[in-house]
Amino acid sequence: MRNHLILTALIASLTSTAWAQRAAEVKFEPGNFGTMVNGAITGNEYFDYMLGAQAGQEMFADLKVSDTNGNGVIYFNILPPGSDSVAIYNGSIDGNTARIDLPEDGDYTIRVYLMGNDRDTDKTVGYNLDLSIQ
């Protein structure tokens, strides 16, 4: 059973005209390889979780809706180091569970976001995101 740890995070709130963004750096406690994070996204917001990893490691991510006042249409993408928008995993196409071999060393971004009517009508979707790297 995967250890679910308390997220050690640095939260920064940023806003722009088109998007509201929040971000957190994910750190695993020494000797552990995973954690569970949770939050909520409303409308055009997205939340970026940054996670350092090495080439050849496997990343696991599983996103589940915890509550919503809409349809619960939430996804995540995995962006490689240095990428602003090009994903190596697209949850809206591939589903809300990913297990991928990482191609390079660096900081990966797991971006959680809404789509469709939930995004367009400013609905809120709560979520739990299980993350690990081995």
Side-chain angles (χ1 to χ4, degrees):
M1 180 175 195
R2 188 178 323 280
N3 289 330
H4 299 292
L5 307 173
I6 297 174
L7 169 68
T8 302
L10 168 64
I11 307 270
S13 294
L14 305 171
T15 59
S16 70
T17 305
W19 295 91
Q21 177 192 15
R22 293 175 290 159
E25 183 178 352
V26 178
K27 300 266 189 202
F28 302 139
E29 291 183 15
N32 293 298
F33 61 90
T35 192
M36 175 77 73
V37 296
N38 55 54
I41 301 289
T42 299
N44 284 334
E45 293 177 341
Y46 62 94
F47 203 118
D48 284 351
Y49 293 96
M50 285 79 63
L51 188 59
Q54 296 177 349
Q57 288 185 302
E58 181 182 75
M59 179 184 291
F60 172 81
D62 182 54
L63 180 65
K64 300 247 189 280
V65 173
S66 61
D67 57 68
T68 183
N69 64 357
N71 298 315
V73 183
I74 190 167
Y75 299 101
F76 70 90
N77 291 349
I78 300 173
L79 293 85
S83 176
D84 183 11
S85 60
V86 178
I88 59 173
Y89 184 89
N90 186 324
S92 67
I93 296 169
D94 300 317
N96 279 343
T97 301
R99 187 176 300 274
I100 62 170
D101 292 325
L102 301 177
E104 60 185 295
D105 293 353
D107 293 328
Y108 287 80
T109 301
I110 297 89
R111 178 168 291 165
V112 180
Y113 61 95
L114 301 182
M115 287 186 70
N117 192 55
D118 283 358
R119 181 194 65 213
D120 298 340
T121 58
D122 284 330
K123 298 298 183 187
T124 299
V125 180
Y127 61 89
N128 296 311
L129 178 61
D130 187 8
L131 295 171
S132 69
I133 294 182
Q134 296 185 44

